[in-house]
Amino acid sequence: MTQWLPAIGFLLASLMGSAQALELAQEQVLHKGNGAEPQTLDPHKAEGVPSSNILRDIYEGLTSKAPTGEIIPGAAESWEISEAGRVYTFTLRDDARWSNGDPVLASDFVFGLRRSVDPATLSKYSQILSSIQNAEAVIVGDKPPEALGVKALDDRVLQVTLKAPTPYFLGLLTHSSTYPVHAASVREHGDRFSRPGNLVSNGAFVLDDWVVQSHIQLKKNPYYWGAEDVVLDEVYYHATEDQSSELKRFRAGELHWTNEVPLAQVRWIRENMSEQFHISTYLGVYYYGFNVTQPPFKDNPDLRRALTMAIDREILTEKVTRLGEQPAYSWVPPGVNNYQAQVPEWASWTQEERLAEARRLYAKAGYGDKNPLRIELRYNTSENHKKVAVAMAAMLKQALGVRVNLINEEWKVFLQTRKQKRITQLFRAGWIGDYDDAYTFAELLHTKHGINDSGYSNPEYDALLEQASIEADEHRRRELLQDAERLLLEDLPILPIYFYVSKRMISPLVDGYAPNIMDHHYSKNFRLLATPQ
């Protein structure tokens, strides 16, 4: 049996210690740009980075992350793992409290995990919990939520049984789908439990106000177990889909932190505000999805491959995005733990060779100068996404003669349109790993995954993932996932474009920032200085 001991204090002290002598600002109110308007703050229904950023502040899972990304204790102060690696026993903090003062109990995590996999919750993320014993049977309705492999041994001790050793499980517990929810609030308010005035949470901050298409306001949670170390009094998350406007607000001092930067102004930013411009590696892939359930891409791998090969990713990353993004020919980003990304043979060809093959496949699929493909390309409202979409459309027209009609939609509408799979053809997407393991990318294209908006379904692919999910041997597990990626890249329900970097402006008044590959940043680790550092 292995046991984790809470020895992270030194690391945190080191990270915070460098500015301990600096004078703090009198007003500790942080303003963050946050991209699109979140669709919900229900942790078991939310999807997308904007919601996740806020949920990490107002909820806390069994584990959490240090500013540099290492897994550290969250609501659980310690845990033990059985020799076989299937049974995790967590001990909760004695002083863990909900924002109304109620104690956080092991039964709250049991309630939350069961709710997350309950088909009645309609979570799009339930598949992510498939590593827990009986989760898959519960998700499809074959077993009741009470059959899930979680139980409270007493008020402070929670036991989770997995179907097989899962190397990423502790990292998974930082994801919102595993957060506890306050059972009494859910029962009292139903679907409205996550609204201001109703929401009871266990994180460092609590929801105070939500002005749609403007901002979400959080206040410090005085009942949080670590409240004495939380310096910020309030955090504002501002909806900022227009990157140019967001930059103007940053320059005017209205924001301390931007969600992104406008690609068209990168050169100016580098020349004039380089010290406040932060770029770092980000575990994510920017891609376009083909709707393989509808024409013209249904049962048409030649056409999907032709479009995939016609895109010049080097030009896109060097001339359009220009921030160090890496051209993507595989699905899983490089550098993922215990994994070798699979790259198709044609990735090593010259662009002229790719174009020749793309034109051959385009003609084989029945298209040409006299019968050009006409498609719609959808993206969510953003000048950066528009810039990439315009470049993609131009490349497809020049290389193959494809006529592309660009359609942009507001974030919530866009997500709904993608899920319905009725009118989408080619659509923008991005996937950020939920933990440092190839499975977080592979599982998105599983037939049953709730965010598989391409509608991809290949029994052989699903079988490889299911074998990998119960494989205890790390070498064999890696081979299974690599086989799955090779199969995916043959079928191509997705068109990988580039691997992300995070890019934002951060005020020199903000102390406590550290880059990490997941781009997860907890506001409890920040504080505002009286003068720029």
Side-chain angles (χ1 to χ4, degrees), residues 110-111 113-119 132-135 137-139 142-152 159 187:
V110 173
F111 180 81
L113 287 164
R114 287 176 177 173
R115 179 177 184 269
S116 198
V117 297
D118 188 338
I132 301 178
Q133 188 177 54
N134 293 330
V138 176
I139 291 168
D142 288 344
K143 289 187 176 181
E146 291 74 18
L148 187 68
V150 296
K151 59 183 177 182
Q159 192 169 83
R187 293 181 180 121

Side-chain angles (χ1 to χ4, degrees), residues 118-149:
D118 188 338
T121 303
L122 300 176
S123 168
K124 301 298 182 185
Y125 251 114
S126 55
Q127 191 69 24
I128 199 175
L129 300 178
S130 61
S131 57
I132 301 178
Q133 188 177 54
N134 293 330
E136 290 165 310
V138 176
I139 291 168
V140 298
D142 288 344
K143 289 187 176 181
E146 291 74 18
L148 187 68

Side-chain angles (χ1 to χ4, degrees), residues 479-498:
E479 288 182 336
L480 290 166
L481 291 173
Q482 292 177 170
D483 288 347
E485 185 179 17
R486 282 195 293 274
L487 180 58
L488 183 73
L489 294 174
E490 281 296 314
D491 291 344
L492 283 175
I494 41 83
L495 192 167
I497 300 175
Y498 62 77

Side-chain angles (χ1 to χ4, degrees), residues 173-191:
L173 295 176
T174 67
H175 190 269
S176 63
S177 63
T178 72
Y179 290 167
V181 287
H182 190 255
S185 299
V186 175
R187 293 181 180 121
E188 180 180 355
H189 301 293
D191 288 341

Side-chain angles (χ1 to χ4, degrees), residues 198-351:
N198 298 340
L199 183 61
V200 176
S201 58
N202 71 325
F205 296 88
V206 61
L207 177 63
D208 188 63
D209 194 15
W210 185 341
V211 180
V212 176
Q213 293 298 342
S214 176
H215 65 267
I216 288 175
Q217 180 184 6
L218 311 182
K219 287 193 173 181
K220 181 177 176 178
N221 175 10
Y223 292 102
Y224 180 59
W225 61 267
E228 289 185 359
D229 296 324
V230 178
V231 177
L232 295 177
D233 294 317
E234 298 181 31
V235 181
Y236 283 76
Y237 282 93
H238 298 266
T240 52
E241 288 183 290
D242 183 333
Q243 287 85 17
S244 291
S245 297
E246 183 184 38
L247 180 60
K248 289 179 182 175
R249 296 185 67 182
F250 179 83
R251 293 179 62 192
E254 298 176 12
L255 297 177
H256 296 103
W257 170 292
T258 69
N259 184 60
E260 286 194 71
V261 296
L263 296 178
Q265 298 185 56
V266 168
R267 178 177 296 178
W268 183 90
I269 291 171
R270 289 186 188 277
E271 292 175 354
N272 296 279
M273 304 182 75
S274 61
E275 292 183 356
Q276 300 174 59
F277 187 30
H278 295 259
I279 301 175
S280 61
T281 303
Y282 192 14
L283 189 66
V285 57
Y286 189 102
Y287 69 100
Y288 280 177
F290 296 109
N291 181 355
V292 297
T293 71
Q294 302 284 346
F297 298 116
K298 180 181 180 181
D299 300 326
N300 205 341
D302 287 336
L303 182 61
R304 301 197 295 268
R305 183 174 298 275
L307 268 59
T308 300
M309 296 178 73
I311 299 302
D312 191 332
R313 293 158 178 79
E314 279 71 18
I315 292 292
L316 274 171
T317 52
E318 292 173 8
K319 305 296 184 183
V320 179
T321 59
R322 300 180 299 172
L323 288 170
E325 293 88 350
Q326 186 172 343
Y329 298 94
S330 60
W331 174 237
V332 180
V336 170
N337 183 44
N338 190 36
Y339 192 78
Q340 179 64 51
Q342 302 302 293
V343 179
E345 180 186 359
W346 58 264
S348 62
W349 298 358
T350 65
Q351 188 60 25

